[in-house]
Amino acid sequence: MAQYAFFDSPSGKIRITSESGFITGLDHFAQPLNLPQKIDDPVLVLTIDWLNRYFSGQAPDPAEIPVKLNGTPFQLAVWNILKTIPYGHSVTYGNIARQLSPTMSAQAVGGAVGHNPISIIIPCHRVIGAGGNLTGYGGGLKNKIWLLEHEGVDMSGMYVPKKGNAL
């Protein structure tokens, strides 16, 4: 049976879902939710502890959290690469594409990254566009920027594409 919990983070409300001892979803919400929750699933408790450590400035190992990913073989391959991006670092969509195939497009990778169901733990916020373009994040660009800054990523030269302003 699926269970869920909400976590109040410095970057906004986060919903965590679990099923059968695995985390199946973790995402930011744009608006606050006032829904009751019953946290009796050990994996939810483990994930909340992980998030507390992450938001307190530690770099907990994502491998501590058992996750269940449902996606296409291509999506799973991209998500597995996301798991290897170190805390405090960023990579480009093009870099991930080249890891998969010399002919892979960055746009295809972007589509898979955008469907990552377990953000932060599977760090899709660490993926940026070519030349420092801060494009795409399911939790919103404001949260992407917050998470990158929280991790100490060098933001010089990065920019939000529509405004074109360097950060």
Side-chain angles (χ1 to χ4, degrees):
M1 182 167 126
Q3 293 193 15
Y4 62 92
F6 295 99
F7 180 83
D8 289 313
S9 82
S11 67
K13 181 86 68 178
I14 294 174
R15 179 183 58 190
I16 311 161
T17 55
S18 71
E19 190 169 347
S20 303
F22 294 93
I23 293 301
T24 57
L26 193 146
D27 53 32
H28 276 95
F29 276 88
Q31 51 191 312
L33 298 174
N34 294 314
L35 298 174
Q37 60 183 333
K38 180 180 175 190
I39 305 171
D40 61 357
D41 184 344
V43 75
L44 289 175
V45 173
L46 178 68
T47 303
I48 289 169
D49 175 67
W50 190 97
L51 289 169
N52 277 319
R53 289 184 287 134
Y54 174 83
F55 285 109
S56 72
Q58 298 177 37
D61 185 351
E64 295 175 23
I65 306 298
V67 298
K68 181 178 181 184
L69 295 167
N70 292 312
T72 66
F74 175 69
Q75 288 173 325
L76 293 171
V78 170
W79 299 338
N80 282 327
I81 291 173
L82 296 181
K83 293 179 196 179
T84 69
I85 305 169
Y87 181 97
H89 292 84
S90 63
V91 300
T92 66
Y93 294 97
N95 178 274
I96 293 172
R98 287 186 295 280
Q99 289 180 57
L100 292 166
S101 165
T103 59
M104 179 61 58
S105 77
Q107 292 80 9
V109 168
V113 170
H115 285 92
N116 171 22
I118 305 175
S119 65
I120 303 175
I121 293 172
I122 299 176
C124 51
H125 62 279
R126 296 178 188 155
V127 185
I128 62 172
N133 183 340
L134 287 171
T135 184
Y137 180 63
L141 285 178
K142 179 181 173 184
N143 284 328
K144 180 174 188 156
I145 292 166
W146 191 98
L147 292 167
L148 291 170
E149 289 175 342
H150 170 71
E151 293 184 12
V153 172
D154 179 6
M155 303 291 287
S156 61
M158 292 187 188
Y159 65 96
V160 176
K162 290 186 181 181
K163 295 178 182 173
N165 297 331
L167 298 175

